[in-house]
Amino acid sequence: MKITDAQRRHRLVAQHFARASTTEGVVSSLLALHATDPATVYLSVLARARTLGLLDVRDAMYERRSLVRLMAMRRTMFVVAHDDVPMIHAAASLGVSRTMRARLIKQVSTLPTEPVIDDVESWLAATEAETESALRSMGTATGAELSAAVPGLKTALLPTTDKVYDVKRYVTSEVLVMMAAEGKLVRVEPRGAWTSRRHAWAPIDHWWPDGIPELDETEARTVLARRWLEVFGPATLDDLQWWTGWNKTQTRGAVSGLDTETVELTEGDGIMLSSTTFDKPSETSVMLLPALDPTPMGWKHRTWYLGEHKAPLFDTFGNIGPTIWSGGRIVGGWAVTGSGEVVTELLEDVGSTASKAVAAEAERLTTLLDGTPVVPSFPTPLEKKLRGKK
């Protein structure tokens, strides 16, 4: 079966741009929100849920706790539904945590440290135990607060060359992120504004009294592959492998037990669930999606919705900035100025109706931001250009 780019764009609009009335509804429709940049979570929701504000997103994460921030696919931060955490933890986070643990042990074993560590395994076990104990007594704490209470977290890796980037660095963040990926800690509300990157930590039993439920990793990968195909299919196996961070064997194994069909895509062979439908969306949605939104970051092969617009919209590390969408395609980009104003630039002619819709959406987001600047973690050429105008 041949699936055209137009069919895929219709399905993208229907699945990814559907109106939602709750933060949880947005997350459910997208499987997971990218959360490397804290602002992305809020802006991804507000783009799709027109009746919500910033406090609604915060309440879902930190009051209702129906959403959880965790390190998962590709060693990337995501926000996912509370009920999906056990599945994603087994399918992705545990593999990431094993890689992180091995890397940390190798670094501390082979690089000069301050203080000198003679028994790395014993040092790490003691540091983890002391961190969990300190966090339980504090309730919540930042990395800085924990490192002040746990000497092992202030262990430093010393430079071995005179390179500018080779500097003394503490293991605090690596240990805490690894422990979170293993399911021992959880990120909670950051200190400061909603755009802050200074997240605090809490013991995992604040969210799961008995710890994250354990699932079989192989079965969890199959469930995650099915859920991903529901949201992002049809797609190539390369797309799925890239998004999950699995190897080829894990990727093929995950889809082998699913009811799928092989299809022909512009990029080559692809797959989709046999239940996949291609109903044309009721409207051509205009969307202003934030940097690293899950829609543009959902596939490895992006030409069918990105076109020739990669250069101005991606940074040198492959991170996509804020994008303007019309008819299931990227047609421009946007940025937030220092005064909290959303400014846009179309990269192609989309007609007067869509242009007016873009302007209206920019005005709506400006009102919601209420003067809050959003400073990108990974500025793109177009963002730098737009921010420089103001």
Side-chain angles (χ1 to χ4, degrees):
M1 181 187 301
K2 181 176 177 61
I3 305 297
T4 67
D5 289 348
Q7 286 177 297
R8 296 182 76 187
R9 289 193 290 267
H10 288 158
R11 181 166 167 76
L12 182 153
V13 171
Q15 180 68 45
H16 290 244
F17 297 167
R19 298 290 189 262
S21 59
T22 65
T23 302
E24 292 85 352
V26 172
V27 176
S28 176
S29 70
L30 297 168
L31 178 57
L33 301 182
H34 274 256
T36 301
D37 193 329
T40 295
V41 177
Y42 288 83
L43 295 174
S44 289
V45 172
L46 297 182
R48 298 167 171 92
R50 304 304 177 94
T51 60
L52 301 184
L54 296 171
L55 287 178
D56 297 299
V57 183
R58 177 204 169 273
D59 287 350
M61 289 192 287
Y62 306 123
E63 295 296 332
R64 295 194 296 276
R65 298 185 181 182
S66 54
L67 303 176
V68 183
R69 185 184 301 267
L70 79 164
M71 177 78 71
M73 293 71 69
R74 304 188 316 280
R75 194 179 171 182
T76 298
M77 289 301 307
F78 289 89
V79 163
V80 305
H82 183 280
D83 290 347
D84 283 336
V85 169
M87 179 268 293
I88 292 176
H89 180 246
S93 299
L94 288 178
V96 167
S97 72
R98 286 192 290 267
T99 300
M100 293 181 68
R101 178 172 287 276
R103 181 174 181 271
L104 177 60
I105 290 174
K106 181 179 179 180
Q107 286 180 321
V108 178
S109 299
T110 59
L111 295 176
T113 62
E114 184 182 80
V116 175
I117 305 298
D118 295 319
D119 186 340
V120 176
E121 297 281 357
S122 296
W123 162 81
L124 184 53
T127 298
E128 291 179 272
E130 291 171 20
T131 298
E132 288 189 76
S133 176
L135 192 53
R136 284 195 171 87
S137 65
M138 295 179 185
T140 66
T142 63
E145 290 166 343
L146 283 169
S147 66
V150 181
L153 290 176
K154 295 201 75 172
T155 300
L157 302 174
L158 303 179
T160 57
T161 71
D162 57 1
K163 302 294 185 182
V164 175
Y165 57 81
D166 190 5
V167 297
K168 177 180 178 179
R169 53 193 175 87
Y170 296 101
V171 301
T172 307
S173 179
E174 290 185 64
V175 172
L176 295 177
V177 172
M178 178 195 72
M179 292 178 66
E182 291 176 338
K184 299 172 182 174
L185 314 177
V186 64
R187 290 169 178 80
V188 293
E189 188 167 15
R191 306 289 172 84
W194 61 274
T195 56
S196 171
R197 298 174 178 86
R198 294 182 61 242
H199 280 89
W201 301 89
I204 197 67
D205 49 25
H206 279 204
W207 297 66
W208 287 273
D210 299 318
I212 298 175
E214 295 182 7
L215 301 180
D216 178 81
E217 291 186 38
T218 300
E219 294 176 1
R221 284 194 291 268
T222 295
V223 175
L224 183 57
R226 175 180 59 78
R227 294 282 300 280
W228 184 85
L229 283 169
E230 288 174 348
V231 177
F232 297 97
T236 68
L237 283 177
D238 276 351
D239 290 324
L240 175 58
Q241 182 180 343
W242 174 83
W243 189 87
T244 57
W246 298 333
N247 59 39
K248 286 186 180 296
T249 299
Q250 291 171 328
T251 304
R252 293 186 181 279
V255 302
S256 63
L258 299 175
D259 183 9
T260 62
E261 295 183 26
T262 301
V263 297
E264 180 184 346
L265 305 175
T266 301
E267 302 95 323
D269 290 341
I271 62 169
M272 68 180 187
L273 297 174
S274 298
S275 58
T276 301
T277 59
F278 292 91
D279 299 330
K280 189 171 181 178
S282 59
E283 63 179 81
T284 302
S285 296
V286 164
M287 283 276 177
L288 269 62
L289 300 184
L292 298 176
D293 183 87
T295 296
M297 293 297 290
W299 297 266
K300 178 180 180 180
H301 302 290
R302 302 172 173 136
T303 303
W304 59 279
Y305 61 85
L306 177 61
E308 302 300 320
H309 302 318
K310 181 177 180 179
L313 297 174
F314 282 77
D315 72 2
T316 55
F317 300 101
N319 300 300
I320 194 167
T323 50
I324 301 173
W325 292 69
S326 179
R329 296 187 305 111
I330 293 176
V331 297
W334 56 283
V336 182
T337 68
S339 62
E341 179 186 0
V342 174
V343 290
T344 65
E345 181 171 315
L346 291 167
L347 299 174
E348 59 183 80
D349 184 2
V350 296
S352 61
T353 300
S355 295
K356 290 178 181 177
V358 169
E361 183 64 2
E363 183 177 353
R364 184 182 74 88
L365 290 177
T366 296
T367 299
L368 289 171
L369 290 175
D370 192 25
T372 303
V374 178
V375 180
S377 298
F378 311 99
T380 63
L382 185 58
E383 275 185 287
K384 293 176 183 177
K385 174 186 173 183
L386 291 173
R387 288 174 62 85
K389 286 182 177 180
K390 296 289 181 175

